[in-house]
Amino acid sequence: MCGAKAPRVEEEGPGAYWKHLVWQCESDDVRRPVKLSRPRGGGWRTRMMGFISCISLACMATVGLDVPANLSYQQDIVDVGGAVPELTCNAMRWASVFKDDPSVVRIVRTVSTGIEVMFEPPDEPPESVPNYVPEQFVPKVTAKFNEERAAGHVVVCPKGYEWSVTAVGCVDKDHSNFEVIRIVNDLSRPFGTGVNDCSTIQKYKFASVSDAYTFMTPCAYMAKVDFSGAYRSVGFAKRFWRYHVWEWQGTLLMDLRLMFGHKAGPGEFTELSQAVVRKIKSYGCPGTIGYIDDIITIGPNVTEVYRCHLLTVELASFLGFKLNPKKVVPPAQKLDYLGVELNTNTTGVCDVTAKVDQRKIDTLNSLCSTLTQNQYVKRKDLEWAVGLMSFCSQVILGSRLFMRQAYSMIQFMKRRKLRNAGLWKSVRRDLEFW
């Protein structure tokens, strides 16, 4: 059911150099990676296969991997015509690598049998919600669904298996002006009975660009790793499949993977990526920071950052993550991370700076100007403005003081269930500041 080889980054491009690493294993234990010279005659592959053979089922049982449940989950996916998620195929590797991690039981369970969330569906299925895909993007969305079906991420829903029919839409991806689109499942409608409203998730603490400032010393080096199709590499538990159904061109489709639009997505995937970050830190890389599927490494010199960067790439690939070669950035002193340009040698004299993407600044200026010209404002517009303010405040120190009133007004409108309200004078002054 699973392929013999873990998905790996292509050997061409910025990810090629990690192939000099191997992981040595003794008595089913994961040891410190060591850097080797370039092997000849297939020696590197031999060493890697030797490491894989070190993993035993006895070791898996000690960390909570239920092998029968994992195999049953894989069979359930195959039975409906889907493909087993990459991380599920590598559940044994996860159990071996993270057997000393404090969250190993939950991590391995998520990887091996899919994501589980607290879910209380309503007594009656909610009404079906129509899709909202503009006519000009229908061909692109259709092509995207065909790709997802061919990859086994999406399957045709068995007759009568669905609970309700949700909606799908599309958004721009990577600021491509809709040359590349991303499918988004609208699981928040109908309001009050949608999948997101019926799901309860735990609180997670997410990293931010501010966490990188601690390690940004003058002339420091930075490297970045980005996962490709991160959400689509992990599956949902079988009991949730019937709630992730939508209709497209007369066919009911069912999603087996973590999709964009589910409220549990960021937190659940962060728990997996943070396990990778903790593992890398345990090998002497304290400047490793991860936000969902973006991991950055910061260190005082290029040699140290290079070593930690190689460890990150190798471990992520070994666990089943697909890496995006175009976004795997080797050590440099200037780097874009989460929309902020980080630079530890701005003027050639080791000045440390952080700069917000100009597009976000222009959007915020335009939005604030529009809001101050109106007597009444929509709550969603004010929420949008506060989101942009919060992002920019990561770079403009002390600017959070000038978004408190807007946040208070949003909370007031939520309590009163208002979609429109008169703009407060205090909020107007804060908007003029921005």
Side-chain angles (χ1 to χ4, degrees):
M1 288 178 284
C2 294
K5 296 182 179 180
R8 310 188 68 86
V9 71
E10 288 78 11
E11 294 191 0
E12 295 79 11
Y17 46 76
W18 56 259
K19 64 182 179 181
H20 302 293
L21 278 178
V22 300
W23 291 75
Q24 292 183 331
C25 179
E26 295 179 10
S27 302
D28 301 330
D29 193 10
V30 178
R31 301 301 182 187
R32 184 184 182 89
V34 293
K35 187 175 181 180
L36 303 177
S37 59
R38 179 182 292 272
R40 296 182 179 179
W44 177 81
R45 290 182 174 83
T46 302
R47 290 182 174 87
M48 282 301 300
M49 292 305 297
F51 167 69
I52 296 172
S53 65
C54 291
I55 302 175
S56 66
L57 292 180
C59 177
M60 303 308 104
T62 61
V63 296
L65 174 59
D66 189 343
V67 177
N70 175 257
L71 297 177
S72 176
Y73 177 63
Q74 295 187 32
Q75 188 60 52
D76 290 336
I77 295 174
V78 173
D79 289 343
V80 296
V84 180
E86 291 80 358
L87 301 190
T88 302
C89 289
N90 293 283
M92 291 187 177
R93 296 183 178 186
W94 280 80
S96 177
V97 172
F98 298 106
K99 63 182 180 181
D100 296 324
D101 192 275
S103 302
V104 60
V105 175
R106 177 172 171 79
I107 292 172
V108 173
R109 184 185 299 119
T110 298
V111 169
S112 61
T113 59
I115 294 174
E116 290 271 2
V117 297
M118 295 182 61
F119 183 71
E120 297 182 1
D123 296 333
E124 296 293 333
E127 296 182 359
S128 299
V129 181
N131 299 326
Y132 54 99
V133 177
E135 189 65 29
Q136 64 268 30
F137 298 132
V138 169
K140 290 186 177 182
V141 173
T142 302
K144 193 70 174 178
F145 283 147
N146 291 337
E147 292 177 7
E148 291 283 285
R149 291 181 62 180
H153 302 169
V154 174
V155 299
V156 176
C157 181
K159 186 176 181 180
Y161 185 73
E162 75 279 2
W163 167 257
S164 63
V165 179
T166 60
V168 293
C170 66
V171 297
D172 181 33
K173 183 179 180 181
D174 296 335
H175 304 287
S176 64
N177 195 23
F178 284 94
E179 289 295 325
V180 182
I181 63 170
R182 170 173 286 161
I183 304 297
V184 177
N185 294 71
D186 186 2
L187 302 179
S188 297
R189 294 190 299 167
F191 299 108
T193 57
V195 173
N196 283 343
D197 288 333
C198 297
S199 301
T200 303
I201 60 175
Q202 60 180 337
K203 292 185 177 181
Y204 294 91
K205 183 179 180 181
F206 296 92
S208 66
V209 178
S210 303
D211 297 325
Y213 298 160
T214 305
F215 304 98
M216 287 179 61
T217 57
C219 288
Y221 281 83
M222 303 167 287
K224 185 174 70 171
V225 172
D226 184 86
F227 300 152
S228 177
Y231 277 24
R232 312 302 284 166
S233 62
V234 58
F236 250 100
K238 179 183 178 181
R239 69 186 185 93
F240 294 100
W241 294 349
R242 61 185 307 200
Y243 303 105
H244 303 160
V245 178
W246 67 92
E247 183 179 1
W248 185 255
Q249 295 183 344
T251 303
L252 284 182
L253 300 177
M254 182 171 67
D255 206 325
L256 311 180
R257 307 288 182 98
L258 177 59
M259 70 287 293
F260 291 95
H262 199 293
K263 67 186 296 185
E268 291 292 336
F269 193 86
T270 293
E271 191 166 31
L272 300 178
S273 63
Q274 286 303 307
V276 177
V277 171
R278 289 193 296 270
K279 193 66 178 180
I280 298 300
K281 284 185 176 181
S282 70
Y283 287 118
C285 304
T288 303
I289 302 166
Y291 175 80
I292 307 182
D293 61 342
D294 290 326
I295 299 179
I296 185 174
T297 300
I298 307 174
N301 57 71
V302 65
T303 303
E304 182 65 18
V305 174
Y306 193 82
R307 180 183 72 86
C308 297
H309 182 55
L310 290 177
L311 292 177
T312 306
V313 173
E314 176 64 24
L315 178 59
S317 180
F318 179 75
L319 294 173
F321 290 111
K322 293 181 179 179
L323 305 182
N324 188 341
K326 297 180 181 179
K327 295 184 179 180
V328 176
V329 183
Q333 293 180 324
K334 181 180 178 181
L335 191 70
D336 289 331
Y337 186 61
L338 304 181
V340 177
E341 180 186 287
L342 305 178
N343 198 330
T344 60
N345 192 12
T346 306
T347 59
V349 291
C350 295
D351 291 341
V352 179
T353 60
K355 181 181 178 181
V356 177
D357 190 336
Q358 187 63 40
R359 289 172 297 189
K360 291 186 180 293
I361 296 177
D362 295 340
T363 302
L364 178 59
N365 287 336
S366 175
L367 182 58
C368 290
S369 176
T370 302
L371 292 176
T372 54
Q373 294 174 6
N374 298 327
Q375 185 177 359
Y376 291 87
V377 295
K378 296 180 180 179
R379 191 179 76 188
K380 65 177 183 179
D381 291 339
L382 197 57
E383 289 174 338
W384 184 18
V386 169
L388 290 172
M389 293 175 190
S390 179
F391 180 85
C392 294
S393 66
Q394 297 179 101
V395 176
I396 308 173
L397 301 181
S399 59
R400 284 191 176 275
L401 294 174
F402 298 92
M403 54 181 287
R404 284 179 171 271
Q405 293 299 318
Y407 181 77
S408 298
M409 182 175 177
I410 291 174
Q411 297 303 313
F412 170 80
M413 296 174 71
K414 285 184 176 180
R415 289 194 299 269
R416 300 293 182 89
K417 298 182 179 180
L418 302 175
R419 296 188 178 182
N420 302 279
L423 185 62
W424 296 357
K425 292 183 179 180
S426 57
V427 177
R428 187 184 299 275
R429 289 194 296 268
D430 287 351
L431 292 175
E432 291 173 351
F433 164 82
W434 288 96

